[in-house]
């Protein structure tokens, strides 16, 4: 239970950063923190204490042994790669915004838009 | 010490680093703190018996840091600071109220989850106990990824491809000339 709550506090710190920061780079970093907390939450739910990692050499190893759930691990593997892709997309847009307006501050940008 | 204690220590470190990343004055230190969070996640994955994820996360985190440092190198390291205005006070209070409400409901919602470490395999039982006969894969994560749920992986590849095209389209400096001119 403590682990789940700590993981959710990490999520809340990321959400707080998204709401209060005015800098685009800091917003991207906060988004990354939120992503990290969600990945960790899914893996925490799938953990079986005393289980072995889901890599074996033949099926006899599996007898009388617990295995960590491989399904959340697969889903998180997909999600990590997609998070990398979206992050690089956001950072590309951020650098274009900087080239156009000369600042990362969102209030300044909305003022300059006129 | 057992796994749970180690995980609690790493998670507290990650939370401290997250607060440091949000409140740092220099954007480069924010990026470094974000790297600390990412590598803390790698340690958590290793403790939670997920070696594939640890490998993928360490690569993804390194690439993210390289891209972020490249962006900062091309722009500015320093965040412009302004005195607190009324809009900031609204933002801060909204953030704290939202965090409190979400935490309250989360504590009630996790009562239906199994406690940590007592997960029961439901659908994944088929993946674990049939993987070797059905797919020949000794790594069950790869067996699910490339065989049982290969269509999902194809969708992931499509997303990656689309993002690569999008990044190219945004970063291109000159527009394409029209052919009839």
């Amino acid at each position: 239970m403590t682990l789940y709550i700590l993981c959710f506090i990490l999520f809340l710190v990321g959400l707080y950063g998204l709401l209060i920061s005015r800098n685009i780079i800091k917003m991207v970093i906060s988004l990354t923190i939120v992503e990290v907390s969600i990945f960790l939450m899914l893996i925490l739910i799938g953990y079986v204490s005393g289980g072995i990692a889901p890599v074996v050499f033949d099926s006899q190893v599996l007898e009388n042994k617990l295995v960590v759930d491989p399904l959340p691990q697969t889903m998180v593997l997909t999600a990590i790669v997609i998070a990398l892709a979206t992050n690089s997309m956001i950072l590309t847009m951020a650098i274009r915004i900087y080239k156009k307006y000369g600042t990362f501050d969102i209030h300044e940008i909305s003022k300059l838009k006129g | 010490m057992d796994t749970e204690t180690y995980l609690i220590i790493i998670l507290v470190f990650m939370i401290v680093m997250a607060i440091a990343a949000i409140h740092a004055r220099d954007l480069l230190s924010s990026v470094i703190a974000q790297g600390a969070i990412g590598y803390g996640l790698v340690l958590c994955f290793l403790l939670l018996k997920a070696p594939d994820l640890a490998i993928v996360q360490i690569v993804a985190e390194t690439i993210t840091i390289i891209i972020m440092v490249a962006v900062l190198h091309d722009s500015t390291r320093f965040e412009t600071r302004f005195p607190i205005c009324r809009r900031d006070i609204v933002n801060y209070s909204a953030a704290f109220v939202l965090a409190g409400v979400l935490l309250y409901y989360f504590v009630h919602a996790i009562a239906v989850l199994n406690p940590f470490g007592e997960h029961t395999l439901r659908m994944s039982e088929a993946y674990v106990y049939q993987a070797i006969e059905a797919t020949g894969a000794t790594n069950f994560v790869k067996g699910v990824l490339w065989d049982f749920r290969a269509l999902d992986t194809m969708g992931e590849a499509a997303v990656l491809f689309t993002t690569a095209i999008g990044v190219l389209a945004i970063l291109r400096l000159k527009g394409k000339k029209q052919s009839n001119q």
Side-chain angles (χ1 to χ4, degrees), chain A residues 3-108:
Chain A
L3 273 173
Y4 293 159
I5 291 171
L6 277 175
C7 197
F8 195 68
I9 287 172
L10 190 64
F11 175 88
L12 289 179
V13 171
L15 194 68
Y16 160 81
L18 264 181
L19 283 175
I20 66 147
S21 53
R22 293 171 59 165
N23 192 299
I24 294 176
I25 300 292
K26 284 211 172 162
M27 292 171 93
V28 178
I29 290 172
S30 310
L31 195 68
T32 316
I33 295 168
V34 172
E35 282 163 359
V36 161
S37 75
I38 290 169
F39 299 155
L40 190 56
M41 187 75 200
L42 286 172
I43 297 298
L44 280 176
I45 291 174
Y47 183 70
V48 180
S49 52
I52 57 169
V55 183
V56 296
F57 293 106
D58 61 276
S59 49
Q60 279 139 22
V61 181
L62 283 176
E63 282 165 19
N64 305 322
K65 277 232 174 100
L66 291 168
V67 185
V68 174
D69 197 343
L71 188 60
Q73 296 193 9
T74 314
M75 298 290 120
V76 171
L77 195 78
T78 312
I80 286 174
V81 177
I82 290 178
L84 173 68
T86 50
N87 271 345
S88 48
M89 187 89 184
I90 296 170
L91 284 168
T92 317
M93 287 187 203
I95 195 69
R96 291 306 280 184
I97 287 172
Y98 186 83
K99 286 279 179 336
K100 190 163 160 58
Y101 295 106
T103 177
F104 276 135
D105 191 277
I106 49 171
H107 291 197
E108 291 292 306

Side-chain angles (χ1 to χ4, degrees), chain B residues 33-81:
Chain B
Q34 191 232 311
I37 298 168
Y39 293 126
L41 184 66
V42 173
L43 288 179
C44 288
F45 283 159
L46 282 177
L47 284 173
L48 289 168
K49 307 280 167 63
D52 302 279
L53 281 179
I55 296 167
V56 170
Q57 171 66 22
I58 210 163
V59 172
E61 191 59 41
T62 312
I63 293 174
T64 311
I65 291 175
I66 291 172
I67 295 174
M68 279 194 168
V69 172
V71 166
L72 291 185
H73 180 74
D74 241 18
S75 55
T76 176
R77 267 175 68 177
F78 298 103
E79 191 184 4
T80 41
R81 291 263 164 182

